[in-house]
Amino acid sequence: MDATITVKELLLVVVSLVVIGFGIYLIVALRNLNELLKKVRQIVDENEKSIKETISNLPEISDNVNIISTKTKDVIENIEPVLPEIVDNVNSITENINDGMEIAIDTVEVVGENISDTVEAIRDSTVDVTTYIKLIGEVVKVIKQVIAREK
């Protein structure tokens, strides 16, 4: 039993298999799309009240956006002429603060040096005072010994 297959029949089988494969893919895709639509419907159903409120508030929101835009434009137009002056003032203030900081730093350094010098002088004076006290103590001892000998 011999069977011959023609090119036409072979192409018909291949096209049929492709169509069947495409059909299966289309069925899977439609199934996934259906599940997605169910989830979207569930979300919409759960949030229906909020969606309706939002939609009903859209004209008011739009009006508010227009008002804000207009006021912002007015503020910018009012500030624009004085903006360079404001920038100059800020720069001037910054420079003055920097100068003040430099003066403060210099003052702190001078005060610190003076305190160090004062502490050093007190330390030296303390050594001198201690020496004088020791000398006075020695003199008193000598005087005691002299008085003790005379008795």
Side-chain angles (χ1 to χ4, degrees):
M1 183 172 315
D2 289 334
T4 58
I5 299 176
T6 63
V7 174
K8 181 179 178 183
E9 292 172 344
L10 181 62
L11 286 176
L12 185 63
V13 169
V14 169
V15 168
S16 298
L17 290 175
V18 168
V19 168
I20 291 172
F22 181 72
I24 292 172
Y25 176 77
L26 186 62
I27 290 170
V28 170
L30 289 174
R31 186 171 157 213
N32 289 339
L33 181 64
N34 189 31
E35 289 177 17
L36 178 67
L37 289 175
K38 284 180 185 178
K39 289 181 182 179
V40 169
R41 177 176 292 147
Q42 180 184 2
I43 292 171
V44 169
D45 288 342
E46 290 173 358
N47 295 301
E48 185 175 0
K49 182 180 177 185
S50 298
I51 293 170
K52 284 181 180 180
E53 285 179 21
T54 303
I55 290 172
S56 67
N57 289 333
L58 279 178
E60 184 180 344
I61 293 170
S62 177
D63 291 342
N64 289 341
V65 168
N66 287 336
I67 291 169
I68 291 170
S69 297
T70 303
K71 287 185 179 184
T72 303
K73 181 181 173 189
D74 292 343
V75 168
I76 290 173
E77 287 174 354
N78 289 335
I79 291 177
E80 194 171 23
V82 294
L83 195 58
E85 184 179 334
I86 292 171
V87 170
D88 290 342
N89 288 341
V90 169
N91 287 336
S92 174
I93 291 169
T94 304
E95 289 174 6
N96 289 339
I97 289 173
N98 286 338
D99 293 344
M101 289 299 294
E102 287 178 15
I103 291 170
I105 289 170
D106 292 343
T107 303
V108 168
E109 286 177 358
V110 168
V111 169
E113 289 173 3
N114 288 337
I115 289 174
S116 295
D117 293 344
T118 303
V119 168
E120 235 176 270
I122 290 172
R123 192 178 306 140
D124 292 343
S125 297
T126 304
V127 170
D128 291 344
V129 169
T130 306
T131 304
Y132 289 132
I133 292 174
K134 284 182 183 178
L135 285 174
I136 292 172
E138 291 295 323
V139 169
V140 169
K141 281 183 187 177
V142 170
I143 292 174
K144 279 184 180 178
Q145 288 175 356
V146 168
I147 291 176
R149 283 188 195 162
E150 289 181 5
K151 285 186 181 182

